[in-house]
mmCIF file with all atom_site columns, all heavy atoms in Angstrom:
data_model
loop_
_atom_site.group_PDB
_atom_site.id
_atom_site.type_symbol
_atom_site.label_atom_id
_atom_site.label_alt_id
_atom_site.label_comp_id
_atom_site.label_asym_id
_atom_site.label_entity_id
_atom_site.label_seq_id
_atom_site.pdbx_PDB_ins_code
_atom_site.Cartn_x
_atom_site.Cartn_y
_atom_site.Cartn_z
_atom_site.occupancy
_atom_site.B_iso_or_equiv
_atom_site.pdbx_formal_charge
_atom_site.auth_seq_id
_atom_site.auth_comp_id
_atom_site.auth_asym_id
_atom_site.auth_atom_id
_atom_site.pdbx_PDB_model_num
ATOM 1  N N   . GLN A 1 94  ? -3.680 -13.710 -1.342 1.00 85.00 ? 111 GLN A N   1
ATOM 2  C CA  . GLN A 1 94  ? -2.831 -13.206 -2.435 1.00 85.00 ? 111 GLN A CA  1
ATOM 3  C C   . GLN A 1 94  ? -3.066 -11.680 -2.593 1.00 85.00 ? 111 GLN A C   1
ATOM 4  O O   . GLN A 1 94  ? -1.990 -11.063 -2.745 1.00 85.00 ? 111 GLN A O   1
ATOM 5  C CB  . GLN A 1 94  ? -3.361 -13.952 -3.805 1.00 85.00 ? 111 GLN A CB  1
ATOM 6  C CG  . GLN A 1 94  ? -2.983 -15.431 -3.860 1.00 85.00 ? 111 GLN A CG  1
ATOM 7  C CD  . GLN A 1 94  ? -3.664 -15.993 -5.064 1.00 85.00 ? 111 GLN A CD  1
ATOM 8  O OE1 . GLN A 1 94  ? -3.858 -15.438 -6.093 1.00 85.00 ? 111 GLN A OE1 1
ATOM 9  N NE2 . GLN A 1 94  ? -4.040 -17.306 -4.898 1.00 85.00 ? 111 GLN A NE2 1
ATOM 10 N N   . ALA A 1 95  ? -4.129 -11.250 -2.486 1.00 85.00 ? 112 ALA A N   1
ATOM 11 C CA  . ALA A 1 95  ? -4.331 -9.767  -2.760 1.00 85.00 ? 112 ALA A CA  1
ATOM 12 C C   . ALA A 1 95  ? -3.807 -8.975  -1.502 1.00 85.00 ? 112 ALA A C   1
ATOM 13 O O   . ALA A 1 95  ? -3.081 -7.960  -1.611 1.00 85.00 ? 112 ALA A O   1
ATOM 14 C CB  . ALA A 1 95  ? -5.749 -9.411  -2.879 1.00 85.00 ? 112 ALA A CB  1
ATOM 15 N N   . ALA A 1 96  ? -3.937 -9.562  -0.261 1.00 80.00 ? 113 ALA A N   1
ATOM 16 C CA  . ALA A 1 96  ? -3.521 -8.932  0.968  1.00 80.00 ? 113 ALA A CA  1
ATOM 17 C C   . ALA A 1 96  ? -2.001 -8.784  0.967  1.00 80.00 ? 113 ALA A C   1
ATOM 18 O O   . ALA A 1 96  ? -1.400 -7.853  1.411  1.00 80.00 ? 113 ALA A O   1
ATOM 19 C CB  . ALA A 1 96  ? -4.051 -9.610  2.218  1.00 80.00 ? 113 ALA A CB  1
ATOM 20 N N   . PHE A 1 97  ? -1.354 -9.841  0.604  1.00 81.00 ? 114 PHE A N   1
ATOM 21 C CA  . PHE A 1 97  ? 0.226  -9.857  0.636  1.00 81.00 ? 114 PHE A CA  1
ATOM 22 C C   . PHE A 1 97  ? 0.891  -9.538  -0.759 1.00 81.00 ? 114 PHE A C   1
ATOM 23 O O   . PHE A 1 97  ? 1.991  -9.504  -0.800 1.00 81.00 ? 114 PHE A O   1
ATOM 24 C CB  . PHE A 1 97  ? 0.503  -11.256 1.143  1.00 81.00 ? 114 PHE A CB  1
ATOM 25 C CG  . PHE A 1 97  ? 0.268  -11.478 2.551  1.00 81.00 ? 114 PHE A CG  1
ATOM 26 C CD1 . PHE A 1 97  ? -0.602 -12.500 2.968  1.00 81.00 ? 114 PHE A CD1 1
ATOM 27 C CD2 . PHE A 1 97  ? 0.885  -10.712 3.569  1.00 81.00 ? 114 PHE A CD2 1
ATOM 28 C CE1 . PHE A 1 97  ? -1.075 -12.714 4.143  1.00 81.00 ? 114 PHE A CE1 1
ATOM 29 C CE2 . PHE A 1 97  ? 0.449  -10.967 4.893  1.00 81.00 ? 114 PHE A CE2 1
ATOM 30 C CZ  . PHE A 1 97  ? -0.442 -11.978 5.203  1.00 81.00 ? 114 PHE A CZ  1
ATOM 31 N N   . ASN A 1 98  ? -0.044 -9.370  -1.723 1.00 86.00 ? 115 ASN A N   1
ATOM 32 C CA  . ASN A 1 98  ? 0.500  -8.905  -3.065 1.00 86.00 ? 115 ASN A CA  1
ATOM 33 C C   . ASN A 1 98  ? 1.547  -10.060 -3.546 1.00 86.00 ? 115 ASN A C   1
ATOM 34 O O   . ASN A 1 98  ? 2.560  -9.726  -3.880 1.00 86.00 ? 115 ASN A O   1
ATOM 35 C CB  . ASN A 1 98  ? 1.000  -7.538  -3.123 1.00 86.00 ? 115 ASN A CB  1
ATOM 36 C CG  . ASN A 1 98  ? 1.366  -7.128  -4.458 1.00 86.00 ? 115 ASN A CG  1
ATOM 37 O OD1 . ASN A 1 98  ? 0.616  -7.594  -5.406 1.00 86.00 ? 115 ASN A OD1 1
ATOM 38 N ND2 . ASN A 1 98  ? 2.281  -6.236  -4.696 1.00 86.00 ? 115 ASN A ND2 1
ATOM 39 N N   . VAL A 1 99  ? 1.022  -11.243 -3.479 1.00 88.00 ? 116 VAL A N   1
ATOM 40 C CA  . VAL A 1 99  ? 1.831  -12.357 -4.008 1.00 88.00 ? 116 VAL A CA  1
ATOM 41 C C   . VAL A 1 99  ? 1.140  -13.227 -4.944 1.00 88.00 ? 116 VAL A C   1
ATOM 42 O O   . VAL A 1 99  ? -0.145 -13.228 -5.109 1.00 88.00 ? 116 VAL A O   1
ATOM 43 C CB  . VAL A 1 99  ? 2.255  -13.360 -2.738 1.00 88.00 ? 116 VAL A CB  1
ATOM 44 C CG1 . VAL A 1 99  ? 3.124  -12.592 -1.766 1.00 88.00 ? 116 VAL A CG1 1
ATOM 45 C CG2 . VAL A 1 99  ? 0.959  -13.931 -2.062 1.00 88.00 ? 116 VAL A CG2 1
ATOM 46 N N   . ASP A 1 100 ? 1.804  -14.123 -5.681 1.00 90.00 ? 117 ASP A N   1
ATOM 47 C CA  . ASP A 1 100 ? 1.195  -14.968 -6.649 1.00 90.00 ? 117 ASP A CA  1
ATOM 48 C C   . ASP A 1 100 ? 0.712  -16.169 -6.079 1.00 90.00 ? 117 ASP A C   1
ATOM 49 O O   . ASP A 1 100 ? 0.969  -16.558 -4.864 1.00 90.00 ? 117 ASP A O   1
ATOM 50 C CB  . ASP A 1 100 ? 2.152  -15.341 -7.838 1.00 90.00 ? 117 ASP A CB  1
ATOM 51 C CG  . ASP A 1 100 ? 3.534  -15.966 -7.358 1.00 90.00 ? 117 ASP A CG  1
ATOM 52 O OD1 . ASP A 1 100 ? 3.504  -16.681 -6.460 1.00 90.00 ? 117 ASP A OD1 1
ATOM 53 O OD2 . ASP A 1 100 ? 4.519  -15.544 -7.947 1.00 90.00 ? 117 ASP A OD2 1
ATOM 54 N N   . PRO A 1 101 ? -0.155 -17.079 -6.682 1.00 90.00 ? 118 PRO A N   1
ATOM 55 C CA  . PRO A 1 101 ? -0.673 -18.232 -6.138 1.00 90.00 ? 118 PRO A CA  1
ATOM 56 C C   . PRO A 1 101 ? 0.284  -19.259 -5.582 1.00 90.00 ? 118 PRO A C   1
ATOM 57 O O   . PRO A 1 101 ? 0.026  -19.813 -4.515 1.00 90.00 ? 118 PRO A O   1
ATOM 58 C CB  . PRO A 1 101 ? -1.505 -18.888 -7.285 1.00 90.00 ? 118 PRO A CB  1
ATOM 59 C CG  . PRO A 1 101 ? -1.848 -17.787 -8.227 1.00 90.00 ? 118 PRO A CG  1
ATOM 60 C CD  . PRO A 1 101 ? -0.617 -16.807 -8.039 1.00 90.00 ? 118 PRO A CD  1
ATOM 61 N N   . GLU A 1 102 ? 1.585  -19.295 -6.173 1.00 90.00 ? 119 GLU A N   1
ATOM 62 C CA  . GLU A 1 102 ? 2.428  -20.248 -5.639 1.00 90.00 ? 119 GLU A CA  1
ATOM 63 C C   . GLU A 1 102 ? 2.927  -19.831 -4.267 1.00 90.00 ? 119 GLU A C   1
ATOM 64 O O   . GLU A 1 102 ? 3.166  -20.730 -3.363 1.00 90.00 ? 119 GLU A O   1
ATOM 65 C CB  . GLU A 1 102 ? 3.747  -20.304 -6.672 1.00 90.00 ? 119 GLU A CB  1
ATOM 66 C CG  . GLU A 1 102 ? 3.342  -21.033 -7.906 1.00 90.00 ? 119 GLU A CG  1
ATOM 67 C CD  . GLU A 1 102 ? 2.525  -20.162 -8.932 1.00 90.00 ? 119 GLU A CD  1
ATOM 68 O OE1 . GLU A 1 102 ? 2.772  -18.851 -8.852 1.00 90.00 ? 119 GLU A OE1 1
ATOM 69 O OE2 . GLU A 1 102 ? 1.778  -20.673 -9.698 1.00 90.00 ? 119 GLU A OE2 1
ATOM 70 N N   . VAL A 1 103 ? 3.145  -18.595 -4.120 1.00 87.00 ? 120 VAL A N   1
ATOM 71 C CA  . VAL A 1 103 ? 3.647  -18.103 -2.663 1.00 87.00 ? 120 VAL A CA  1
ATOM 72 C C   . VAL A 1 103 ? 2.526  -18.302 -1.675 1.00 87.00 ? 120 VAL A C   1
ATOM 73 O O   . VAL A 1 103 ? 2.776  -18.705 -0.533 1.00 87.00 ? 120 VAL A O   1
ATOM 74 C CB  . VAL A 1 103 ? 4.038  -16.601 -2.813 1.00 87.00 ? 120 VAL A CB  1
ATOM 75 C CG1 . VAL A 1 103 ? 4.393  -15.982 -1.359 1.00 87.00 ? 120 VAL A CG1 1
ATOM 76 C CG2 . VAL A 1 103 ? 5.286  -16.472 -3.705 1.00 87.00 ? 120 VAL A CG2 1
ATOM 77 N N   . GLU A 1 104 ? 1.299  -18.005 -2.148 1.00 85.00 ? 121 GLU A N   1
ATOM 78 C CA  . GLU A 1 104 ? 0.127  -18.245 -1.206 1.00 85.00 ? 121 GLU A CA  1
ATOM 79 C C   . GLU A 1 104 ? 0.119  -19.602 -0.742 1.00 85.00 ? 121 GLU A C   1
ATOM 80 O O   . GLU A 1 104 ? -0.196 -20.038 0.320  1.00 85.00 ? 121 GLU A O   1
ATOM 81 C CB  . GLU A 1 104 ? -1.142 -17.727 -1.908 1.00 85.00 ? 121 GLU A CB  1
ATOM 82 C CG  . GLU A 1 104 ? -2.395 -17.821 -0.851 1.00 85.00 ? 121 GLU A CG  1
ATOM 83 C CD  . GLU A 1 104 ? -2.980 -19.090 -0.709 1.00 85.00 ? 121 GLU A CD  1
ATOM 84 O OE1 . GLU A 1 104 ? -2.917 -19.941 -1.668 1.00 85.00 ? 121 GLU A OE1 1
ATOM 85 O OE2 . GLU A 1 104 ? -3.419 -19.461 0.435  1.00 85.00 ? 121 GLU A OE2 1
ATOM 86 N N   . LYS A 1 105 ? 0.293  -20.620 -1.790 1.00 84.00 ? 122 LYS A N   1
ATOM 87 C CA  . LYS A 1 105 ? 0.220  -21.964 -1.413 1.00 84.00 ? 122 LYS A CA  1
ATOM 88 C C   . LYS A 1 105 ? 1.381  -22.413 -0.419 1.00 84.00 ? 122 LYS A C   1
ATOM 89 O O   . LYS A 1 105 ? 1.154  -23.192 0.459  1.00 84.00 ? 122 LYS A O   1
ATOM 90 C CB  . LYS A 1 105 ? 0.372  -22.946 -2.756 1.00 84.00 ? 122 LYS A CB  1
ATOM 91 C CG  . LYS A 1 105 ? -0.889 -22.856 -3.517 1.00 84.00 ? 122 LYS A CG  1
ATOM 92 C CD  . LYS A 1 105 ? -0.734 -23.733 -4.751 1.00 84.00 ? 122 LYS A CD  1
ATOM 93 C CE  . LYS A 1 105 ? -1.969 -23.564 -5.653 1.00 84.00 ? 122 LYS A CE  1
ATOM 94 N NZ  . LYS A 1 105 ? -1.804 -24.176 -6.941 1.00 84.00 ? 122 LYS A NZ  1
#
Side-chain angles (χ1 to χ4, degrees):
Q111 289 169 34
F114 293 112
N115 194 25
V116 296
D117 58 39
E119 292 76 29
V120 173
E121 187 281 328
K122 286 179 187 172

